[in-house]
Amino acid sequence: MIVTKSWLNNFIDLSEVSNETLYETLNSIGLEVDSITAHTIPEKIVIGKVLSCEKHPDADKLNVCQIDIGSGIRQIVCGAANVVDAQYVAVATIGAKLGEDFEIKHAKLRGVESEGMVCSASELGLPNIGEGIMILDESIGELIIGKNINEYEKIADTVIEIELTANRGDCLSVYGVARDLSAALNTPLKNLDYESQNTEKVGLARVAKLTVDGQIDASLQYAMANMKALHTSLLFSLRLAFINEFKEDDLANILKYITHTTGTILRAYDVSDIDLENDEKLIINAENQNGIINISINNKPSSQVGINQIEATKANEKSSKVLFETSYMRPTLLVDLVADNKLETDELYYNASRGSEPNLYMGINYLTYLFETYNECKLFDGTISVGEELEAKTITISTKEICQLIGNDIHKTEIMNILTALGCTVQSSVEEKFGVTIPSFRHDIENIQDITEEIVRILGINNIEAKPLTFTEVPRTNTTMQKYYAKKELRARATAASFDESVSYAFADKTLLEKYGFPLVKEELDIINPITADFNTLRTTILINLLQAVQRNVSYSRKSVALFEIGTIFNENREEKEMFSLVYSGQAQTEYVENSGKPNPINFDTFVRKLSSIIGNFELRASVQENALIHPYQSADIIVDGAICGFLTKVHPTVTDAFDIIETFVAEIDFNALLPKHINAHPISKFQGVYKDLSLVIDKNLSYTHLDTTIKGLNLPLLTKYYPVDIYEDESLAGQKSLTLRLFIQSLERTLNDKDIDSTVNAIIDTLQSEYGASLR
């Protein structure tokens, strides 16, 4: 972004502000100055008035001019063709130095005396504004013959190039930069109010009509003018040249000047072909097509708001009637539309996508001012418009929180004054918290952190006292963190139990899920475009993935494969669930001398012990699972806290054969059931306990689960724990079996006597005898 000091001075008084102060202020408020250049005009360059201009008697391309320079009339030979059109020019008088080796001296050109030189802009160290000499006009100030050019600040200007961050679209205009400087320097901002002086206007509504199709998520305002004697003043030409935007077309220059000055997006449509004298109306239509606002004029497609304009509709300096359009569309919406639809954009899209000026009247008002002040074009009376009502964004902030973010104590009054100066509406309140309504031109401010950044900008980062960093974090113990730590602990335990972690896609082969009896996600909820033919559905178990991993490892000659995975599965309704799944295949030990290089394969007992070392205590009950992996004699449901949370099984021989692997065990457990729970501490007895073995003869088909449930239901105060230690069957028991329970009996209050022990044992025997016909062996 390039601005000049005199250009800024249109909106803020910088007469008492030095270039150094301006440089430091811009940098301190986050508008980083890339370069600052003060243009100075050499001494003895004065304003001259051309009194006469005649052809050189001996050179077709030279003119002999009589020029009044205040101190007298000088004859000067000039080779510029446009000198014949000039009235006031910049004259380098005798003795003026235009460079180290370029001093103006008395000369004779083709036999004609010349006492000076009429200068072009580039010869004075200014940017080029076209071929020929620089013709002066009163846009730079009152022209006084003989006055030094370096006294005109609008010519001897300071050019400032600013590097803007992507979010500061509000400063892509001279007015926007001045607005920030106004807050930083505590200097009032000059308004752009202008009342039209033309009393002969024809109402625009009489000759033009704006129609709308669909919801218009943008703001549009239109004005129209009869064009006549359009030209770019010297001031505009120089300023546009300073920002590298000077064009040969006068209308293009005026449009660019207004956009760069005000920040409004301004387009011009050529409507010269409309016949207003025959009561023909100009019909402007704004139509929403999938979010894109298409503009057509008299049924001819003309532009897409904020995006581009059809070349054939663009007006130029030769157009006799021009329709002017100012527009605004929310940058976030605009950027998404262009990206999603891969639309072609023009140069105005850059401003619109970063956040142009939403006050459209400012652009039309400035256009009116320029036309009536510097040109003879006549605008029609009034405007026609349609607008999206921008919802005011109000953020509640706390003085305390702002000060904590800054690290310094800032008084609430100062905070409110800064925000007000930045264009915010502050709701006064005696409380610490108060509301701040963000101005529409600052779409990038979303939260208290953004507001704090604005306050720091205006305070100046160099004015913030440096303090050691203090870091305060709110407690973040929540379900997510609990799951994270639980997974971390499970991984550590599984690794310690010789399992390796497997990571697989959350997809599976649908045919394998069907083959082995696992449910499938409903077809209407399943994935539409699978990544491969083998991953054509969302998995409803991790075990198939793990068995495939075992198969791959076995093919690499691995004799023992132990894997685990913590991952997501889905049910028929595509509802997610996290599972902890394990597989152990092959040898239970490594090959070494003690097992003569022939270790036993993994068995049910070893697998259960490994699982217990990972997830802790659990119970096993006869499995009720129904899938083809289940072994009918070596499988069980896993019980945690009295509820089934998973299962373990030896993989059915038909499945191991299909995968070409040897004996394999798997387990799959609901991860949520393994989350650590708060456990209240229990007292530990200081008195000696007693172990008693109880051998019972019971029905052969009676499961241990029934006995366990019954014993628990007795709530015996001295029975600390119990567990089975032996099962025995032979023909002599005739359809029954012998089960040995080991009881641990202990009191918290005293040493046990025989009566205490017998009463506990007898209570168990009597109950089991009554419930199940159990007898002592």
Side-chain angles (χ1 to χ4, degrees):
M1 177 62 193
I2 302 175
V3 299
T4 74
K5 189 175 180 181
S6 73
W7 209 343
L8 288 169
N9 214 48
N10 287 357
F11 306 108
I12 179 173
D13 186 3
L14 298 177
S15 57
E16 301 299 322
V17 179
S18 67
N19 286 350
E20 183 179 356
T21 300
L22 189 58
Y23 173 83
E24 291 174 352
T25 303
L26 287 169
N27 278 319
S28 71
I29 62 176
L31 304 182
E32 184 180 347
V33 177
D34 188 56
S35 66
I36 183 167
T37 305
H39 288 268
T40 56
I41 307 299
E43 294 291 333
K44 297 187 178 181
I45 310 295
V46 300
I47 291 179
K49 183 177 182 180
V50 180
L51 302 177
S52 65
C53 181
E54 297 176 354
K55 283 289 183 182
H56 190 289
D58 197 24
D60 292 339
K61 294 185 178 181
L62 297 179
N63 292 290
V64 180
C65 304
Q66 303 298 321
I67 301 177
D68 184 357
I69 62 170
S71 59
I73 297 174
R74 300 289 185 266
Q75 178 174 281
I76 299 174
V77 178
C78 178
N82 64 337
V83 72
V84 297
D85 302 317
Q87 185 174 11
Y88 292 95
V89 293
V91 178
T93 58
I94 302 298
K97 291 185 177 181
L98 301 182
E100 291 185 7
D101 301 320
F102 187 9
E103 181 177 344
I104 302 300
K105 298 178 180 178
H106 184 279
K108 182 180 286 189
L109 298 176
R110 290 287 185 96
V112 177
E113 303 287 339
S114 183
E115 301 178 278
M117 185 177 82
V118 182
C119 302
S120 67
S122 56
E123 288 168 336
L124 298 179
L126 299 171
N128 184 24
I129 56 172
E131 294 184 3
I133 61 169
M134 181 173 70
I135 299 176
L136 306 180
D137 59 37
E138 292 196 343
S139 64
I140 63 171
E142 183 184 358
L143 299 178
I144 300 174
I145 297 172
K147 185 175 181 178
N148 281 310
I149 295 291
N150 59 16
E151 295 181 33
Y152 288 84
E153 64 173 21
K154 292 179 180 178
I155 293 182
D157 211 345
T158 299
V159 179
I160 308 159
E161 185 170 359
I162 301 169
E163 289 288 339
L164 293 178
T165 54
N167 65 312
R168 293 309 307 274
D170 61 297
C171 284
L172 281 174
S173 67
V174 177
Y175 182 74
V177 175
R179 190 164 47 201
D180 259 24
L181 282 172
S182 171
L185 297 173
N186 196 24
T187 303
L189 191 66
K190 302 175 187 176
N191 292 324
L192 273 174
D193 292 336
Y194 175 75
E195 289 291 334
S196 174
Q197 306 302 310
N198 185 2
T199 59
E200 301 178 1
K201 286 184 178 181
V202 176
L204 179 59
R206 292 175 57 187
V207 297
K209 181 181 179 181
L210 176 60
T211 61
V212 172
D213 291 333
Q215 180 179 337
I216 304 301
D217 295 324
S219 297
L220 301 165
Q221 190 168 31
Y222 292 92
M224 196 163 77
N226 287 316
M227 309 300 287
K228 184 180 178 182
L230 192 66
H231 74 278
T232 307
S233 68
L234 174 61
L235 177 62
F236 294 179
S237 300
L238 283 175
R239 286 177 174 174
L240 290 171
F242 279 134
I243 66 172
N244 303 313
E245 292 290 349
F246 180 75
K247 303 286 192 303
E248 292 299 323
D249 187 273
D250 286 317
L251 181 59
N253 285 335
I254 289 174
L255 294 175
K256 184 62 186 179
Y257 188 85
I258 293 173
T259 295
H260 198 79
T261 302
T262 66
T264 53
I265 302 299
L266 184 62
R267 297 187 186 277
Y269 303 92
D270 188 347
V271 291
S272 303
D273 56 344
I274 186 172
D275 187 0
L276 298 180
E277 304 214 351
N278 291 326
D279 294 331
E280 184 181 351
K281 262 200 172 186
L282 188 70
I283 305 300
I284 309 160
N285 178 255
E287 181 182 10
N288 185 330
Q289 293 183 350
N290 299 320
I292 303 167
I293 311 303
N294 291 304
I295 303 298
S296 60
I297 299 173
N298 284 354
N299 296 319
K300 293 180 181 179
S302 300
S303 68
Q304 294 175 318
V305 174
I307 301 172
N308 57 47
Q309 181 179 353
I310 294 175
E311 193 67 30
T313 68
K314 292 182 180 180
N316 56 46
E317 62 184 7
K318 297 179 180 178
S319 302
S320 59
K321 290 188 187 68
V322 176
L323 178 71
F324 294 96
E325 173 196 86
T326 56
S327 64
Y328 176 81
M329 181 179 277
R330 282 172 286 134
T332 50
L333 175 61
L334 184 62
V335 170
D336 288 343
L337 285 173
V338 170
D340 293 344
N341 296 281
K342 296 181 174 55
L343 301 174
E344 292 187 9
T345 61
D346 60 17
E347 62 175 4
L348 288 177
Y349 170 72
Y350 177 79
N351 296 65
S353 63
R354 293 183 65 179
S356 58
E357 174 58 53
N359 181 7
L360 305 185
Y361 177 72
M362 182 187 297
I364 297 296
N365 190 37
Y366 202 56
L367 175 70
T368 304
Y369 164 71
L370 296 185
F371 273 7
E372 294 188 0
T373 305
Y374 297 104
N375 295 276
E376 297 180 22
C377 303
K378 291 185 178 180
L379 281 160
F380 287 74
D381 189 25
T383 61
I384 51 178
S385 61
V386 61
E388 175 193 20
E389 190 168 339
L390 297 175
E391 185 177 347
K393 187 180 354 179
T394 300
I395 301 172
T396 300
I397 66 172
S398 159
T399 305
K400 181 180 178 181
E401 192 172 352
I402 293 256
C403 294
Q404 286 176 340
L405 288 169
I406 296 175
N408 281 232
D409 291 331
I410 313 296
H411 197 275
K412 179 182 176 181
T413 304
E414 186 173 4
I415 292 174
M416 295 176 75
N417 288 341
I418 289 173
L419 293 175
T420 302
L422 287 170
C424 300
T425 302
V426 179
Q427 301 170 3
S428 59
S429 171
V430 294
E431 299 178 1
E432 181 189 323
K433 291 186 176 181
F434 56 94
V436 178
T437 302
I438 309 303
S440 56
F441 57 81
R442 287 306 304 271
H443 68 92
D444 58 307
I445 298 179
E446 297 285 349
N447 49 47
I448 190 171
Q449 287 79 12
D450 293 334
I451 291 177
T452 304
E453 182 183 352
E454 294 303 299
I455 294 168
V456 170
R457 283 198 313 111
I458 304 305
L459 286 173
I461 193 67
N462 295 330
N463 297 322
I464 303 295
E465 180 185 352
K467 291 183 179 180
L469 176 65
T470 58
F471 186 77
T472 305
E473 186 176 13
V474 297
R476 299 187 185 276
T477 303
N478 52 34
T479 303
T480 303
M481 290 302 296
Q482 289 172 349
K483 286 187 175 183
Y484 167 77
Y485 286 118
K487 289 177 184 178
K488 187 177 180 181
E489 181 67 21
L490 273 180
R491 287 188 176 101
R493 290 182 181 180
T495 304
S498 75
F499 285 81
D500 294 316
E501 184 169 12
S502 171
V503 179
S504 60
Y505 288 110
F507 310 112
D509 188 334
K510 185 180 291 188
T511 57
L512 288 179
L513 292 178
E514 285 181 309
K515 179 179 178 180
Y516 296 118
F518 289 98
L520 299 175
V521 174
K522 291 178 181 177
E523 187 174 349
E524 64 270 20
L525 300 175
D526 211 350
I527 53 178
I528 299 173
N529 298 310
I531 56 176
T532 67
D534 295 334
F535 291 139
N536 55 8
T537 187
L538 294 168
R539 66 185 179 188
T540 54
T541 179
I542 300 175
L543 297 180
I544 299 298
N545 301 59
L546 289 178
L547 288 173
Q548 290 173 323
V550 170
Q551 185 182 35
R552 287 191 294 272
N553 278 273
V554 168
S555 69
Y556 298 146
S557 302
R558 289 286 298 273
K559 295 182 179 181
S560 178
V561 182
L563 302 171
F564 76 93
E565 180 171 347
I566 304 173
T568 300
I569 66 170
F570 301 82
N571 65 12
E572 296 93 329
N573 297 316
R574 198 169 172 167
E575 295 167 336
E576 296 184 32
K577 188 178 186 180
E578 281 194 295
M579 304 298 286
F580 178 53
S581 304
L582 305 97
V583 63
Y584 201 119
S585 179
Q587 299 173 351
Q589 298 174 310
T590 56
E591 299 171 350
Y592 66 110
V593 174
E594 187 173 336
N595 57 38
S596 302
K598 296 178 181 180
N600 293 322
I602 186 71
N603 56 41
F604 192 89
D605 179 64
T606 305
F607 185 69
V608 170
R609 289 179 183 277
K610 283 184 175 292
L611 183 59
S612 179
S613 70
I614 299 171
I615 69 172
N617 294 330
F618 58 89
E619 299 177 32
L620 294 178
R621 294 180 189 170
S623 179
V624 296
Q625 305 296 322
E626 295 182 359
N627 62 68
L629 301 187
I630 298 292
H631 193 289
Y633 307 115
Q634 296 190 56
S635 61
D637 286 340
I638 298 171
I639 312 297
V640 174
D641 293 334
I644 298 175
C645 63
F647 68 95
L648 61 85
T649 183
K650 181 179 180 179
V651 178
H652 197 282
T654 58
V655 180
T656 55
D657 289 344
F659 280 92
D660 197 20
I661 57 179
I662 60 175
E663 292 189 8
T664 301
F665 285 82
V666 295
E668 191 156 70
I669 309 164
D670 184 349
F671 172 72
N672 286 332
L674 303 179
L675 290 175
K677 300 173 180 62
H678 178 74
I679 302 174
N680 290 321
H682 296 287
I684 299 174
S685 176
K686 63 181 180 179
F687 301 101
Q688 187 175 2
V690 176
Y691 283 98
K692 292 285 286 186
D693 285 353
L694 186 62
S695 294
L696 301 167
V697 177
I698 58 175
D699 186 275
K700 182 179 180 179
N701 296 318
L702 182 64
S703 70
Y704 172 74
T705 301
H706 291 85
L707 301 180
D708 178 51
T709 303
T710 301
I711 295 172
K712 279 182 180 176
L714 295 175
N715 293 321
L716 298 172
L718 300 180
L719 184 61
T720 304
K721 61 182 178 179
Y722 59 93
Y723 46 91
V725 292
D726 183 53
I727 298 176
Y728 175 73
E729 294 182 43
D730 66 14
E731 294 179 359
S732 64
L733 292 175
Q736 294 184 307
K737 62 184 175 184
S738 172
L739 172 66
T740 300
L741 298 177
R742 182 160 290 167
L743 314 176
F744 183 66
I745 304 168
Q746 187 180 37
S747 172
L748 291 171
E749 301 169 351
R750 54 189 170 81
T751 302
L752 295 173
N753 54 42
D754 291 342
K755 184 179 178 180
D756 296 327
I757 297 170
D758 291 342
S759 65
T760 300
V761 173
N762 290 335
I764 295 172
I765 294 172
D766 293 343
T767 302
L768 295 182
Q769 185 176 21
S770 171
E771 293 282 341
Y772 307 110
S775 61
L776 286 174
R777 184 179 173 191

